[in-house]
């Protein structure tokens, strides 16, 4: 029976309570008690959906639509008639999650409320085709619909008004991330008439409809992975011309929002589990720090001046050239975003960013305040999945009446290649109580009607009004001037200004705006002048001493790549107003100087009175500079013996970003000669010197020798030996391999020893009389996995003249790498490994990520014992069992902590799980454990890497640059390689989390583990 027993007792009151739209936080405990009485089927029934949510004071939520009208909504738009257009993703990642598919492809669905009761009662399929697979973006512009579906962006046109697509055209193609959450996202309309869009860090490149590479008009560079980094934000003309990169180096920036002043807002997802989800004010042309700006190295790669907290380290926030974050919101899976510029919602939400985060089941607002050249923000929840963790808000839009329309993916998981439920999906409407879903009259055939439309909070209506007024040209001028002069809302003034600025006489309106008492309108005027490609120098002269910091910020950005002979002095004048405390302003200076650092920096030096680095502002500008002219002062700051070394780390790090190669080497050598023997300073200087320069410099060579001796036995020792490869260290590498055989340092020492031609030293140990040293060397060789180490282990394992204990250890160690495990199977099949050595072989591959390898090896044991355990109950039966979270802690430590961390405890390999209970309900936890291949977190995919020496390694690529590769392995082991040694890299389809993990525990232990994981929630 689907109706819970309690509902039979209290009848209609039970269901009515859930459907009562006025029940908010005040009645939370009442709803909690009622919801707890529901069985699992009823908890997921749409009739209880609203009751499962908490809604902000002054608002109510209503269910606009639910399954079977739609399923798995990834993105929505609301048209001028209030109809909700939905991108569905039933066919989401079937190759990974194994779910069934619709051979007809995914759908674009229209949901319509025809009787005005605020609920959709009519559904239409606008388009369905096999070429549409898990689309992530939709924008309805009149009779055209732009659908983002990597690798393509399609324009679908309804030519006869029957709500069916009659024509399908390609806008962009070649975008990476096919069937991937980190590909192309939504297009939106800007107040300037431009189109704004973004893609995540799987996007990679942009090709036009004819497969030609698209070029960034600002820099002339082709938009690809070589010229720009990771996720990007773009602006283009209608129809996709004149594309401009506005920001880069995001991880998965799901959507872009543009306010009426032309300011950009965006969210970005961290590598799962690092509590680093962020909201960004996108300062144009900025670098946002997901990877190292210069090398592309990941955030986990070692570097000077590391941020102490991982959520900040994740974005390289201590590096010069990284724009700060507006807000960091912790763990999550951020999705749709907008700027609400309507009047229906309460005041606290007006003109603010509103955003969905599917991970913690919440829709939030982020009220912002100006702070210097940037902003600060707080968090105010709007809609929260308080009683049902399946609430997964994927997108939010503004309806014509100013209400919010929110799409709910509704699933036990949050995507990430996994869909636990394919048949559900919801759409909610959020508005003040007793606000009927009404559609304002829209008539853009008249000028007054178009002016009204321009002021709509709904993008589709605003787009229609903008297009009409723009097409009217001078005929709309009088009405636009009236709006600009008479509106009490500066955002509406800004909308009028954008259109006025594009008239033939638009300059006069720009010049009027630059004199406005409202700094936001001065900013809008300057932005409009830049888009007109007019000479902005006269305007910058007018604004260079503006009392508003944000206006001066825009002046600085406007100087980027400016070739006027007056530009350097203007930049210097703006730089002189930096107060030493505003990172936003400092980064604006860096962006503004791009392409002109030499002349801009020289102009600043010439106008500084006294010592340029006497104050914090001057020191910051030297730190941020990208010119060889700044090296002398940078070296002075880095080498200042009167300042503590940890306070000079930022200056050593700045050397990495300065282009003056010769000047840097000379300066760092000078620091080496004058550092009074400080090991820490020597280490810093050598880290930033080129190895070839060190080998050619007696001073640097001597300093290196002394430092290597001073730091022997530490990670810094191995870092230095790996970087400079001194053969003279081979004996000490051998000794380190023996004394640290059980940990990563010993393995790394053995690997480096072999790389430096030290194999004879290894054989000296293996053939020597010291049994303990022999065993230690075998263990140190275990995880190296190159051809030489595997041959050594094989030779010892099969040598019948050696002691049995030595042969067994060699056999065990042989299975410690992917190539070695494959060889173990070959040796078992051929009969080369026999008797008790078969047990050692099976033990050696027991931690291999490939289940078939483990099972095949075990099958050679006497009796052919299968690795398959007793069949587990189904998920529904497991959900009904009661777990003990306290016992689950022990299960976690015994089975999971080798790869996962909780609150800093455990090994850093897979996603951190400190707040996993806030992201996944019990169903999702079981799916992740029982079917790990179905939901591999992005950034934690396994890679098989083959090297020139014949070895291969399988692990997670935590950082990859043109020259260096860093991989992580179970147990938290991290290893660095040179890309010059890499032959190929292939992503594996299976999860690095071993399938069959549950076989190592009883059913009750599994239930206890899930109970514990579910308890790990954001505090």
């Amino acid at each position: 029976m689907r109706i819970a027993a309690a509902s039979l007792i209290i009848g209609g009151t039970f269901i009515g309570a859930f459907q009562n739209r006025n029940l908010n936080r005040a009645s939370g405990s009442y709803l909690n008690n009622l919801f707890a009485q529901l069985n699992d089927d009823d908890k997921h029934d749409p009739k209880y959906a609203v009751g499962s949510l908490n809604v902000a004071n002054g608002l109510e939520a209503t269910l606009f639509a639910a399954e079977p009208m739609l399923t798995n909504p990834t993105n929505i738009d609301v048209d001028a008639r209030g109809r909700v257009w939905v991108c569905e993703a039933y066919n989401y990642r079937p190759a990974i999650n194994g779910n069934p598919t619709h051979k007809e492809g995914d759908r674009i669905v229209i949901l319509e409320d025809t009787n005005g009761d605020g609920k959709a009662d009519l559904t239409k399929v606008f388009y369905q085709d096999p070429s549409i697979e898990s689309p992530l973006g939709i924008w309805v512009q009149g009779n055209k619909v732009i659908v983002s579906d990597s690798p393509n962006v399609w324009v679908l046109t309804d030519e006869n008004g029957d709500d069916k697509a009659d024509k399908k055209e390609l806008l962009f193609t070649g975008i990476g991330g096919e069937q991937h959450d980190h590909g192309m996202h939504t297009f939106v309309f800007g107040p300037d008439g431009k189109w704004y869009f973004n893609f995540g860090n799987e996007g990679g490149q942009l090709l036009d409809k004819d497969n030609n590479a698209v070029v960034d008009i600002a820099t002339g560079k082709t938009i690809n992975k070589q010229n720009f980094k990771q996720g990007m934000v773009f602006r283009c003309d209608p129809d996709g011309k004149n594309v401009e990169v506005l920001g880069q180096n995001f991880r998965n920036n799901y959507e872009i929002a543009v306010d009426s002043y032309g300011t950009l807002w965006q969210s970005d997802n961290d590598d799962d589990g690092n509590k680093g989800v962020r909201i960004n004010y996108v300062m144009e042309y900025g670098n946002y720090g997901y990877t190292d700006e210069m090398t592309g190295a990941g955030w986990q790669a070692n570097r000077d001046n590391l941020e102490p907290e991982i959520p900040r380290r994740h974005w390289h926030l201590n590096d010069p050239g990284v724009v700060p974050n507006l807000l960091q919101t912790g763990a999550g899976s951020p999705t749709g975003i907008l700027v609400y510029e309507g009047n229906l919602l309460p005041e606290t939400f007006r003109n603010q960013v509103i955003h969905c985060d599917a991970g913690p089941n919440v829709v939030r607002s982020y009220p912002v305040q100006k702070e210097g050249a940037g902003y600060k923000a707080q968090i105010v929840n709007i809609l929260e999945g308080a009683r049902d963790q399946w609430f997964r808000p994927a997108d939010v839009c503004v309806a014509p009446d100013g209400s919010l329309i929110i799409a709910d993916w509704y699933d036990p998981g949050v995507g990430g290649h996994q869909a636990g439920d394919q048949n559900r999906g919801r759409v909610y409407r959020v508005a003040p109580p007793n606000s009927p879903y009404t559609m304002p009259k829209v008539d853009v055939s008249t000028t007054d009607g178009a002016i009204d439309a321009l002021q709509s909070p709904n993008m589709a209506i605003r787009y229609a009004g903008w297009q009409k007024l723009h097409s009217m040209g001078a005929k709309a001028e009088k009405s636009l001037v009236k709006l600009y002069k008479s509106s009490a809302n500066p955002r509406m003034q800004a909308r009028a200004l954008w259109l006025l600025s594009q008239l033939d006489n638009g300059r006069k309106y720009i010049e009027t705006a630059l004199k406005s008492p409202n700094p936001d309108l001065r900013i809008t005027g300057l932005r409009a002048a830049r888009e007109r490609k007019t000479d902005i120098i006269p305007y910058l002269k007018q604004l260079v001493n503006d009392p508003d910091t944000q206006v001066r910020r825009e002046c600085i950005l406007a100087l980027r790549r400016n070739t006027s002979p007056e530009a350097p002095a203007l930049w210097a004048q703006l730089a002189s107003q930096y107060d030493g405390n505003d990172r936003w302003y400092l980064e604006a200076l860096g962006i503004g100087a791009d392409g002109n650092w030499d002349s801009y920096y020289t102009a600043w030096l010439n106008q500084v009175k006294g010592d340029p680095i006497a104050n914090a502002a001057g020191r910051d500008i030297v730190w941020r500079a990208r010119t060889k002219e700044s090296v002398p002062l940078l070296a002075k700051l880095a080498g200042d013996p009167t300042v503590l070394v940890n306070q000079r780390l930022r200056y050593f790090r700045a050397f990495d970003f300065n282009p003056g190669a010769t000047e840097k080497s000379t300066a760092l050598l000078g620091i080496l000669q004058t550092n009074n023997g400080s090991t820490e300073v020597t280490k810093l200087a050598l880290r930033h010197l080129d190895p070839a320069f060190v080998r050619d410099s007696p001073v640097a060579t001597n300093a290196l020798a002394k430092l290597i001796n001073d730091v022997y036995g530490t990670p810094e020792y191995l870092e230095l030996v790996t970087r400079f490869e001194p053969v003279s260290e081979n004996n000490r590498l051998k000794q380190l391999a023996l004394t640290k055989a059980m940990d990563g340092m010993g393995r790394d020492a053995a690997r480096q020893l072999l790389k430096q031609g030290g194999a004879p030293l290894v054989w000296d140990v293996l053939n020597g009389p010291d049994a303990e040293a022999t065993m230690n060397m075998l263990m140190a060789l275990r995880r190296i996995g190159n051809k030489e180490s595997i041959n050594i282990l094989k030779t010892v394992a099969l040598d019948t003249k050696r002691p049995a204990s030595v042969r067994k250890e060699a056999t065990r160690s042989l299975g410690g790498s992917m190539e070695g495990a494959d060889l173990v199977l070959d040796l078992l099949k051929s009969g080369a490994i026999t008797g008790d050595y078969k047990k050692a072989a099976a033990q050696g591959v027991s931690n291999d990520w490939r289940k078939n390898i483990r099972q095949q090896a075990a099958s050679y044991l006497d009796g052919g014992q299968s690795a398959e355990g007793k069949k587990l109950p189904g998920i529904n039966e497991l959900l009904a069992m009661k777990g003990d979270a306290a016992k689950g802690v022990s299960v976690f430590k015994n089975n999971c902590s080798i790869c996962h961390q909780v609150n800093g405890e455990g090994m850093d390999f897979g996603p951190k799980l400190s707040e996993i209970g806030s992201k996944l309900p019990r169903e999702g936890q079981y799916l992740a454990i029982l079917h790990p291949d179905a939901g591999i977190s992005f950034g934690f995919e396994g890679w098989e890497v083959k090297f020139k020496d014949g070895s291969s390694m399988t692990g997670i690529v935590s950082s990859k640059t043109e020259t260096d590769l860093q991989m992580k392995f179970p147990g938290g082991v991290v290893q660095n390689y040179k890309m010059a040694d890499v032959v190929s890299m292939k992503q594996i389809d299976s999860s690095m989390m071993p399938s069959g993990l549950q076989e190592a525990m009883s059913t009750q232990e599994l239930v206890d583990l899930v109970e514990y994981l579910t308890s790990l929630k954001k505090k």
Side-chain angles (χ1 to χ4, degrees), residues 497-509:
L497 175 60
W498 283 111
L499 280 159
L500 288 168
S501 72
Q502 297 182 25
L503 298 174
D504 290 341
N505 62 342
R507 289 186 61 175
K508 76 174 185 179
Y509 296 109

Side-chain angles (χ1 to χ4, degrees), residues 641-897:
T642 66
V643 178
L644 295 175
V645 173
N646 64 356
Q647 295 174 4
R648 290 184 267 156
L649 294 177
R650 68 193 303 252
Y651 303 116
F652 280 101
R653 176 62 172 157
F655 279 112
D656 293 337
F657 299 86
N658 200 294
T662 301
E663 291 79 7
K664 287 192 296 183
S665 295
T666 302
L668 288 163
L669 188 62
I671 292 174
L672 275 176
Q673 293 174 303
T674 59
N675 72 0
N676 296 322
S678 166
T679 298
E680 192 64 27
V681 173
T682 299
K683 186 192 313 178
L684 288 165
L686 286 169
R687 178 179 288 172
H688 298 279
L689 277 171
D690 181 75
F693 181 89
V694 172
R695 284 191 290 269
D696 293 338
S697 167
V699 173
T701 301
N702 291 334
L704 175 62
K706 182 180 183 305
L707 178 61
I708 282 177
N709 193 63
D710 289 344
V711 300
Y712 177 73
T714 69
E716 287 86 355
Y717 169 78
L718 280 175
E719 181 182 332
L720 288 167
V721 173
T722 301
R723 179 175 173 80
F724 295 101
E725 299 186 350
V727 177
S728 59
E729 287 299 309
N730 280 5
N731 274 308
R732 294 211 292 180
L733 284 170
K734 179 194 74 173
Q735 193 60 33
L736 193 59
L738 295 176
T739 56
K740 300 285 187 179
M742 296 294 290
D743 61 31
M745 186 175 293
R747 178 213 58 220
D748 293 347
R751 176 187 284 110
Q752 192 62 29
L753 176 60
L754 292 177
K755 186 177 181 181
Q756 296 181 184
L761 294 176
V762 173
W763 280 114
D764 285 346
V765 173
L766 297 176
N767 295 330
D770 189 336
E772 182 180 357
T774 298
M775 302 295 268
N776 285 343
M777 183 59 77
L778 292 172
M779 287 186 284
L781 294 171
R782 174 177 170 78
R783 284 201 60 88
I784 295 177
N786 61 25
K787 185 176 182 180
E788 192 169 17
S789 67
I790 289 173
N791 283 338
I792 293 172
L793 291 170
K794 176 187 173 183
T795 300
V796 175
L798 301 182
D799 186 351
T800 58
K801 295 180 181 180
R802 293 180 181 270
S805 60
V806 172
R807 292 183 61 198
K808 286 180 180 178
E809 185 56 51
T811 304
R812 266 191 295 270
S813 296
L814 187 56
S817 63
M818 184 173 177
E819 294 288 337
D822 291 339
L823 179 58
V824 166
L825 278 186
D826 290 340
L827 294 173
L828 285 168
K829 290 175 184 177
S830 69
I833 297 178
T834 60
D836 288 343
Y837 298 105
K838 291 190 291 185
K839 293 181 181 179
Q843 290 172 354
V845 301
S846 62
N847 287 323
D848 195 286
W849 64 273
R850 297 166 295 176
K851 185 176 181 180
N852 67 313
I853 296 292
R854 303 195 307 271
Q855 289 183 338
Q856 287 184 62
S859 71
Y860 285 92
L861 299 178
D862 294 338
Q865 179 66 41
S866 171
E868 293 289 343
K870 188 169 62 175
K871 186 176 179 180
L872 278 170
I875 287 184
N876 286 338
E877 189 176 343
L878 289 170
L879 289 170
M881 296 179 67
K882 185 173 180 60
D884 186 329
K887 293 180 179 178
V889 176
S890 297
V891 180
F892 176 85
K893 289 180 178 179
N894 291 333
N895 295 276
C896 310
S897 61

Side-chain angles (χ1 to χ4, degrees), residues 576-591:
S576 69
Q577 297 174 73
Y578 171 55
D579 63 5
N581 296 304
D582 187 346
R583 180 68 182 273
W584 302 93
Y585 196 95
L586 179 63
E587 289 306 327
L589 288 170
I591 294 168

Side-chain angles (χ1 to χ4, degrees), residues 534-570:
T534 189
D535 179 12
I536 61 165
I537 293 299
Y539 303 147
L540 299 183
K541 288 181 177 179
Q542 176 183 338
L543 298 173
V544 70
N545 292 312
D546 195 283
D548 187 88
T549 309
Q550 300 204 342
V551 173
R552 297 200 308 275
R553 175 200 71 208
E554 291 299 311
C555 292
I556 298 167
L557 298 177
L559 285 167
R560 181 179 185 248
R561 295 179 174 266
N562 193 291
T563 57
S564 168
E566 297 182 87
L570 286 167

